[in-house]
Amino acid sequence: MRTEATPEPRYDLTTIGETMLRLSVPVGARLEMAATLDARPGGAESNVAALLARLGLRTAWCGALPESPLGRLVANHLRLAGVDLDGVAWRADGRLGTYYVEFAAPPRPTQVIYDRADSCAARLAPEQVAWTHLRDTRLLHLTGITPALSASCHAIVVEAQTRARQAGIPTSFDVNYRAKLWSPSEAASVLAPLMTGVDLLFCSRADALRLFEITGSDDEMVTVLGERMKAGIAVMSIGEGGAVAWDGSTVLHAPAVPATIIDRPGAGDALAAGVIYGWLGGDLALGLRYGTLLAALALSQSGDMVVTTRAEVESLLASGGGIIR
Amino acid sequence: MRTEATPEPRYDLTTIGETMLRLSVPVGARLEMAATLDARPGGAESNVAALLARLGLRTAWCGALPESPLGRLVANHLRLAGVDLDGVAWRADGRLGTYYVEFAAPPRPTQVIYDRADSCAARLAPEQVAWTHLRDTRLLHLTGITPALSASCHAIVVEAQTRARQAGIPTSFDVNYRAKLWSPSEAASVLAPLMTGVDLLFCSRADALRLFEITGSDDEMVTVLGERMKAGIAVMSIGEGGAVAWDGSTVLHAPAVPATIIDRPGAGDALAAGVIYGWLGGDLALGLRYGTLLAALALSQSGDMVVTTRAEVESLLASGGGIIR
Amino acid sequence: MRTEATPEPRYDLTTIGETMLRLSVPVGARLEMAATLDARPGGAESNVAALLARLGLRTAWCGALPESPLGRLVANHLRLAGVDLDGVAWRADGRLGTYYVEFAAPPRPTQVIYDRADSCAARLAPEQVAWTHLRDTRLLHLTGITPALSASCHAIVVEAQTRARQAGIPTSFDVNYRAKLWSPSEAASVLAPLMTGVDLLFCSRADALRLFEITGSDDEMVTVLGERMKAGIAVMSIGEGGAVAWDGSTVLHAPAVPATIIDRPGAGDALAAGVIYGWLGGDLALGLRYGTLLAALALSQSGDMVVTTRAEVESLLASGGGIIR
Amino acid sequence: MRTEATPEPRYDLTTIGETMLRLSVPVGARLEMAATLDARPGGAESNVAALLARLGLRTAWCGALPESPLGRLVANHLRLAGVDLDGVAWRADGRLGTYYVEFAAPPRPTQVIYDRADSCAARLAPEQVAWTHLRDTRLLHLTGITPALSASCHAIVVEAQTRARQAGIPTSFDVNYRAKLWSPSEAASVLAPLMTGVDLLFCSRADALRLFEITGSDDEMVTVLGERMKAGIAVMSIGEGGAVAWDGSTVLHAPAVPATIIDRPGAGDALAAGVIYGWLGGDLALGLRYGTLLAALALSQSGDMVVTTRAEVESLLASGGGIIR
Amino acid sequence: MRTEATPEPRYDLTTIGETMLRLSVPVGARLEMAATLDARPGGAESNVAALLARLGLRTAWCGALPESPLGRLVANHLRLAGVDLDGVAWRADGRLGTYYVEFAAPPRPTQVIYDRADSCAARLAPEQVAWTHLRDTRLLHLTGITPALSASCHAIVVEAQTRARQAGIPTSFDVNYRAKLWSPSEAASVLAPLMTGVDLLFCSRADALRLFEITGSDDEMVTVLGERMKAGIAVMSIGEGGAVAWDGSTVLHAPAVPATIIDRPGAGDALAAGVIYGWLGGDLALGLRYGTLLAALALSQSGDMVVTTRAEVESLLASGGGIIR
Amino acid sequence: MRTEATPEPRYDLTTIGETMLRLSVPVGARLEMAATLDARPGGAESNVAALLARLGLRTAWCGALPESPLGRLVANHLRLAGVDLDGVAWRADGRLGTYYVEFAAPPRPTQVIYDRADSCAARLAPEQVAWTHLRDTRLLHLTGITPALSASCHAIVVEAQTRARQAGIPTSFDVNYRAKLWSPSEAASVLAPLMTGVDLLFCSRADALRLFEITGSDDEMVTVLGERMKAGIAVMSIGEGGAVAWDGSTVLHAPAVPATIIDRPGAGDALAAGVIYGWLGGDLALGLRYGTLLAALALSQSGDMVVTTRAEVESLLASGGGIIR
């Protein structure tokens, strides 16, 4: 428990996880025929930190990056967004994870090819983590991707939650199941303990079903999810950018905000960022409105990271986007 | 009144107003992250002149441009389209107005940032106008943007109308309210006298409501607009590229021609150009068919200026586009 | 008739016809304003050969190309796809046919400007054809474009069919009427004899009506087509990527697979390739499923030639694309 | 001889010849691997007309163009430059000549692939020429390319010179030998009569040697050239952008202006334009200074057509470019 | 004088001045024909702050920016580089200065078109400056551009120097004469007092001659410059990236480091940054080696701002770049 | 020794080694700021095979590629060039090696960042190699990169040489020392045995000095190299594209062919390809002329792989490139 004497934390949110280089071709083009690739960083945790920084919060990302132009490329994008990088573990050697994307053009779905094995993120060990930075925060945000990267990454997540619990720091957790990293049953057995007792739990409806065999209506599912995991709040994303949230007693509904889909990846991270934004301000309903609007913005922009400002979000909400029932 | 002895005017349409440099990013990109910008000129009045020149009419634009590569860039596009530039006021100093565009990608609307203050267009004084060119025409076209630019620009519009009236030259006027330049009430008080008595009056339904508080059905609105302003003909644009027209007695309806939307700006100017084309040929109904088709072409092309030919327009109309009821 | 002693043919499919350089502008841009053009080869026959090669079949294209960078550009794309080019007639002089494309952006339809007159393909004479390659195959594929190119090209098609018939090689024929090359009545009189008795006949519903005045329901039309032309199998494409097939007794239905339309040209060739794929494997129903899925892939990709793999096609079919009733 | 009573001609220069579409790849890229091509028009005669129009003269080009987006693309560039196109022969059918360029990157020289056979320019017949426009001029400019295109084009050049002579209109002629169109001996026998007696004769040192076997020092060569052809003035280009001129009695020397070479084609046309500019103003020495500076500008800009203004040329000359000895 | 008790300043360098949006075309292209423009920010003062931040120093820029995507575009680039923006004066209205660049391609020199009048930078008033940030530094850096922007900007420079003097903060000053803003004599009379007594004075040889009529050998000129202006150290840039420095007694020589010239603007700012880097570390000779190497890097990179790291600079110096005699 | 009865081998040259994806930024751009990357494959061994295939030889590359769009991208480029890929080891999992390139812009040298660890090439085991293909050849080509990749790759090279020796197949070996993979002493001890007794040995002067401490004049060095390694022929590259060759008795000199440098990587492979071309035809001197010309072409083209034809090479040689003394 935080006591009266505790000084104001340095950050509103800290997070750790892998940020990779995303290489993609335009819609309609095939990767195997590419002559040029669009290059941008992306990572579930840093996407959240970057978006919250753009909304004016103080956020830090504490992952690992190689001391190379590629590592700096990632850091440049995060620093530009306003994310504090003092806690980054710069590695003299080691590689940056990369992934290649072909965007969906039905009948073809989005195709992602990961080349992330043995990255400096996967090799990061608990003793290399900037724990001082990571815990000087109002909220520690983690995802279910990190434990799948390596044993040491799993250990980092466990230790981060333990330290947060001991220091009375609230935590959030986004399940983010990645089928190319592990099976649903592996994921479920590893993630369930990590999800248990967090203050904010994010999980897609597909993952709730696939990993934890939770079924029923949206309301039933999010309630079961929250109760089973003893979460303070459980948020379940449904469809493209919509969500339901269970606050321990009731279920709030946030339908998806209509959007032109330009670039799908990152919408779930944007939803989480929005909910966290509201939660940090003590207003979950506002958070859901922010979250669904930010998810819509994520869909309608190129890149994983959402570029916006608080003024723009407020203006769009005022003109009718983001409704809570 | 033109008499028998009057020689054939040199131009079918002359116009004056500001043409700016438009700098834009592709759909889905954010301006604050831009590394390259698409550059094209755009201006409500010169858009009309350029499109009519492409349809084979003799048109002239008499605005101001700086003697610089930027001024020449604008002139190049207009000359390419076939617009006569003999009446351009080339200014040894002075800046070119610019505007920056992010195209709509819902939930984001189109965002336009104007940087047009103190342009050489806004500084243009009546005594610098090539009146000889401007009045040697079958129709003088003006818009409600020009009076908002500066006092001297307002004076130019007043003087242009006075001279046209004295010389018996018909005039058209497109309201084109710009919320970033003035308030609706300012606009209404300045524009109403300028709209009064014109031969062809163009106004969007939104502006008719916002500036002049005209309400009712489309038919009622366009009739009130035409009668109140004592216009020969009043054309009210409705929705994306559709229009209704009041010819002094009856209302004609031209539904929007279905279009793939690539680039919105310029559709209203295209509608005006089409109506003027028909009017100059003595056939308002044909003008409406041209206008709605040209508006659809404007929506489906990159850039403010519509690139087409009379043969293409005739061919598209023949194959079913542009219906008048 | 092939006898027991006949060795396995070298190719699964051989074909001959014109491959051109396609120069296009992006959707929303006008050709007359182009500063850059996208350049790719395209040709109805080589599109089929390239796609089947990508699916793992042994195919050869035996057309004519100039010994120049432009001829090599075409050959590069076909060789990349896996098409055997040993039978190409390299011409020391002669030009490569080109065509310019503006993609549809309603209200504008796709506009194609051909510049193919007097190409080295049109000049190809029967005595220059690599007959040895062309007949060493399990299926000879021809289209109704080639006879329209020149008298010598017409002679090539006649001779190819005669030689195939004599050697007991099955043939397929895709009508592919081109309005810019000849009139429907000219085409009908020339093509009917060439269509008669082929093993696989492809014709769009529009062409069946326009050239042969076949009317009725889809089932009636494809049956009349097949019976009148004494075809082994008749396949009629309907709408965007759907088809019906008459196998001599019954009609199979393959509805269009929903697709995002990026680039229309090539969808018909993809349908033919899919049907041929199934037919060569002895499974017409599978061929229709392949064909409609490949047509959908063609629509959703840039370029005439479909880039895919058998594994991708199988995976997409397994997840629900391509239904036969 | 022009008499006192002759009205001032409408144009300062008129010309006729082929303008083609130039398709090129960037330096270092190979055409056979191209995925995009840069597209611009180019033609020796229209390059001269366009550059002189940019310098403020009244010029007209009277060649043939197809009524198509490609024909309009060419016309757009010329109209933009200020060239009068009233005398263009728009052809309902016929193709536009094209040429493909790989720029020099030693050890590779510039490679040009022409695809100009049977263009609407080559098909143009004398009776289709706008003679009225062509002769209403202070100078008629022709080149040695046109007679090589076709018999009818040869006839046009002969008739143009005959008409000019009869009307007392001065003529200029630029040899511009094209090795891909004819042999040196063919060219020499056809061109010599056309070069004889012109007021302004342009010929490169290489062509003077190759076609007419003129040898010796630069001074000797240009003098022999001028005297043999009975030219008023003979200008011989030497090296990259330099020239010597014989004015009937003495030889003027204009060394090349140092330039960064971006795009070679068009430098000779720029030299001719500069000399003509000076000659029309009665100052050959100024013309040579203009010519060598414009040739340097041509080398240092992308595209065949030089984009500049008289003010820029004057400013560059004032700061030291373009020296005559 | 700073006393023992003074806490360590927050920044190593602070600066104030105008940062603009730079819009440019590639080498060989003309601005008046541009269809796309490269967009990057640039400003003499922020270029220095950004480069020093990349080298690991703590720097802040305290200029004015509009609250708009354009203002954020500038801030994004500076934040990415690591410049602290806490002292930025964000203006609710006002425009961002822009400038357009055509890079040199001899015989054409670099052409710059400024559109900076009435920018929010020029309108900035002393009472809007974040003086607290500006003075919390080890070195205050100013340039001779700022006083030319407006009377209030001149007042800001005067007040900044006064406050620095009172607080015992060292100052540097880079003359940076801009001929498009004022005449040499105006500049000399305004700048001389501002240059007098600074710790580090930067001036090009051309400006020393043009503004202050200092002549002689490089050694004589830099000595006169330093002595006349009572500077602690005077650095005079000579040619492309070389420099001489007078340290109050002797002259150090740093020849230009050979460089491939890609993009000239920013080389002088890079030289200043390098010298400041050495000076802050107490090693002027090292500073000159850094400065000439950084100037060479500036010439060899696209953009005004140099992208490098201390490790890269050290590595290049170790391998032989940057020699001091 | 090959006997009379041996059938003609299927290939002129076979090779094995790693082919990677090369991702690069344009000259003047920094990798850490990249928004797009140019993507092409490159590999020392496959560069040789591709170039020889373009010259008309039958070549095969037998390396490992992942069954993914990235693996297909590499295969596409090689197939396009005409390289036989029947011996490729397609791996169901495993990654493709990548490398990132910033081209030299002095004072910056070319910077290459390898991300090749644990690639499917490095993991390839001898038992997975298509030995049947690899030995059905007139020449087996190997490089000193492969042994540095992994123990299994080293074993592949050893086994390949053993099998070749047993079958009487000539071998060539290009040292190609890579400082990022191992130290000079490690390389020397591993490579010396592999270089011993080969028919064709390639080594740069820098590597001869660095690895084997061979010094002296070029003639002395290449002679020592050849004699020490008991090579049939030793070729030592000197400077940018030049070479000396020792044929067992005398030294031939091939000065570098002057070239515009566009893209350095691949020049050494082009030299080797040219020498091999001549050697296979029994003419070492011709090989050196080919080699130096091909190296110059490599420098003057974008990409590692040289795009040319035998006709172009012959034409360039005929016009003066590539001199042997």
Side-chain angles (χ1 to χ4, degrees), chain C residues 157-201:
Chain C
V157 172
V158 170
E159 180 166 345
Q161 289 194 329
T162 305
R163 285 169 176 261
R165 208 169 296 120
Q166 290 166 348
I169 299 168
T171 58
S172 68
F173 196 91
D174 193 342
V175 168
N176 257 319
Y177 171 66
R178 290 285 182 271
K180 297 206 177 171
L181 291 175
W182 50 1
S183 70
S185 62
E186 284 177 297
S189 66
V190 169
L191 295 183
L194 301 173
M195 296 159 70
T196 303
V198 299
D199 296 85
L200 266 169
L201 176 62

Side-chain angles (χ1 to χ4, degrees), chain A residues 174-176 201-209 218 221-222 225 234-245 254 256 267-272 275 288 291-292 295:
Chain A
D174 193 341
V175 167
N176 256 319
L201 177 62
F202 297 92
C203 186
S204 71
R205 183 162 51 186
D207 289 353
L209 173 61
D218 291 345
M221 287 180 73
V222 73
L225 181 74
V235 179
M236 191 173 78
S237 55
I238 51 176
E240 301 214 79
V244 290
D269 307 326
L271 173 67
V275 172
L288 279 167
T292 50

Side-chain angles (χ1 to χ4, degrees), chain E residues 56-174:
Chain E
L57 300 194
R58 304 157 304 150
T59 67
W61 175 77
C62 299
L65 289 175
E67 276 173 2
S68 77
L70 301 180
R72 289 197 297 277
L73 188 155
V74 170
N76 286 345
H77 277 258
L78 294 176
R79 198 183 304 108
L80 182 159
V83 177
D84 186 299
L85 301 176
D86 286 356
V88 166
W90 288 97
R91 315 303 302 161
D93 45 34
R95 64 184 296 264
L96 185 72
T98 53
Y99 62 113
Y100 298 81
V101 181
E102 271 186 13
F103 295 112
R108 285 183 292 118
T110 297
Q111 182 173 3
V112 180
I113 298 170
Y114 289 102
D115 180 12
R116 67 197 299 179
D118 208 30
S119 66
C120 60
R123 282 186 184 178
L124 191 69
E127 60 272 22
Q128 294 161 337
V129 172
W131 295 113
T132 314
H133 284 83
L134 205 57
R135 77 166 168 237
D136 198 0
T137 186
R138 292 175 62 212
L139 182 68
L140 170 69
H141 180 64
L142 299 167
T143 80
I145 301 169
T146 314
L149 298 180
S150 65
S152 66
C153 282
H154 183 200
I156 287 170
V157 173
V158 170
E159 181 165 344
Q161 288 196 328
T162 305
R163 285 170 176 260
R165 209 169 297 123
Q166 290 168 350
I169 299 168
T171 58
S172 68
F173 195 92
D174 193 342

Side-chain angles (χ1 to χ4, degrees), chain F residues 288-301:
Chain F
L288 280 167
R289 293 182 68 206
Y290 260 67
T292 49
L293 181 65
L294 292 172
L297 285 173
L299 293 170
S300 74
Q301 291 183 17

Side-chain angles (χ1 to χ4, degrees), chain B residues 37 44 64 103 118 139 168 244 252 267 287 311-312 325:
Chain B
L37 295 168
F103 295 111
D118 208 30
L139 181 69
V244 290
L252 292 85
E312 181 176 70
R325 285 190 304 255

Side-chain angles (χ1 to χ4, degrees), chain C residues 32-277:
Chain C
E32 70 167 273
M33 299 295 281
T36 57
L37 295 168
D38 293 315
R40 305 156 175 271
E45 300 85 1
S46 53
N47 290 347
V48 170
L51 181 42
L52 288 171
R54 284 199 159 96
L55 295 177
L57 299 193
R58 303 158 304 150
T59 67
W61 175 79
C62 299
L65 289 176
E67 275 173 2
S68 76
L70 301 180
R72 290 197 296 278
L73 189 154
V74 170
N76 286 344
H77 278 259
L78 294 177
R79 196 183 306 108
L80 183 159
V83 177
D84 186 299
L85 301 176
D86 285 356
V88 166
W90 289 97
R91 313 304 300 161
D93 45 35
R95 63 183 298 265
L96 184 73
T98 54
Y99 61 113
Y100 296 82
V101 181
E102 272 186 12
F103 295 111
R108 284 184 293 120
T110 296
Q111 182 174 2
V112 180
I113 297 170
Y114 289 102
D115 179 13
R116 68 196 300 177
D118 207 30
S119 66
C120 60
R123 284 185 182 178
L124 192 68
E127 59 272 23
Q128 296 161 337
V129 172
W131 294 113
T132 315
H133 284 84
L134 206 57
R135 77 167 167 239
D136 197 0
T137 186
R138 296 175 58 211
L139 181 68
L140 171 69
H141 180 64
L142 299 166
T143 80
I145 301 169
T146 313
L149 298 181
S150 65
S152 66
C153 283
H154 183 199
I156 287 170
V157 172
V158 170
E159 180 166 345
Q161 289 194 329
T162 305
R163 285 169 176 261
R165 208 169 296 120
Q166 290 166 348
I169 299 168
T171 58
S172 68
F173 196 91
D174 193 342
V175 168
N176 257 319
Y177 171 66
R178 290 285 182 271
K180 297 206 177 171
L181 291 175
W182 50 1
S183 70
S185 62
E186 284 177 297
S189 66
V190 169
L191 295 183
L194 301 173
M195 296 159 70
T196 303
V198 299
D199 296 85
L200 266 169
L201 176 62
F202 297 92
C203 186
S204 70
R205 183 162 50 187
D207 289 353
L209 173 60
R210 189 158 41 163
L211 267 61
F212 306 109
E213 284 145 28
I214 298 173
T215 56
S217 69
D218 291 344
D219 287 35
E220 291 164 354
M221 287 179 73
V222 74
T223 303
V224 169
L225 183 72
E227 290 179 341
R228 189 188 298 174
M229 300 300 174
K230 300 179 176 41
I233 288 166
V235 180
M236 190 174 77
S237 54
I238 51 176
E240 302 213 78
V244 291
W246 171 83
D247 66 0
S249 53
T250 60
V251 174
L252 292 85
H253 304 84
V257 174
T260 297
I261 297 178
I262 302 278
D263 184 329
R264 272 186 178 79
D269 307 325
L271 172 67
V275 172
I276 289 170
Y277 183 87

